[in-house]
Amino acid sequence: MSGPRDAFAATLGVDVLGYGGGRAEARVSVTDDHLNPHGTAHGSFLFSLAGIALAAAANDAEHSGVVSAVHIDYVRPARVGDALVATAEVAERLAKEDLFVIRVTRGDELVARANGRANRRPR
């Protein structure tokens, strides 16, 4: 399911799939524009990829989710040409917010793992 246009995701070259319902994916191939001075994907780029997936998972036609916190652990570096997928899934549904787990992977390898929370309000 396609969601609203995310201008920031588009700027980074990120494609978002599966908005809402507590799950979404964000996909991107690492380019030279995403690198830090060490020649690996910048941490803020990986954080943004995870955050884009989280925001997409938290929003749908019925609910408006506003992200209130994200914690990320960087596990492995990503390099130019790597195809990354960030998958956000709701782990716990509370009365007015959802807790999510976001995994950024390269094939079967974990690159980063994040936890996030989003307030859930009716549209």
Side-chain angles (χ1 to χ4, degrees):
M1 158 175 138
S2 178
R5 183 181 187 290
D6 183 331
F8 184 61
T11 298
L12 295 177
V14 174
D15 293 320
V16 182
L17 307 168
Y19 279 83
R23 186 176 192 289
E25 285 186 0
R27 297 174 182 227
V28 69
S29 289
V30 179
T31 70
D32 288 330
D33 292 333
H34 303 134
L35 301 182
N36 62 28
H38 301 288
T40 59
H42 201 289
S44 65
F45 170 69
L46 297 174
F47 187 95
S48 293
L49 179 62
I52 289 164
L54 169 58
N59 284 277
D60 58 26
E62 188 178 337
H63 296 104
S64 173
V66 178
V67 175
S68 59
V70 178
H71 170 85
I72 192 164
D73 293 304
Y74 302 104
V75 179
R76 289 183 179 85
R79 294 184 168 75
V80 169
D82 285 352
L84 302 179
V85 178
T87 304
E89 294 187 90
V90 69
E92 301 290 336
R93 264 206 205 244
L94 306 176
K96 294 185 179 184
E97 65 183 354
D98 295 327
L99 305 178
F100 290 85
V101 172
I102 309 98
R103 294 173 47 86
V104 178
T105 57
R106 173 184 53 231
D108 292 335
E109 288 187 312
L110 183 66
V111 173
R113 184 181 186 283
N115 294 304
R117 78 191 295 151
N119 297 320
R120 190 178 64 253
R121 301 177 298 198
R123 284 207 183 270

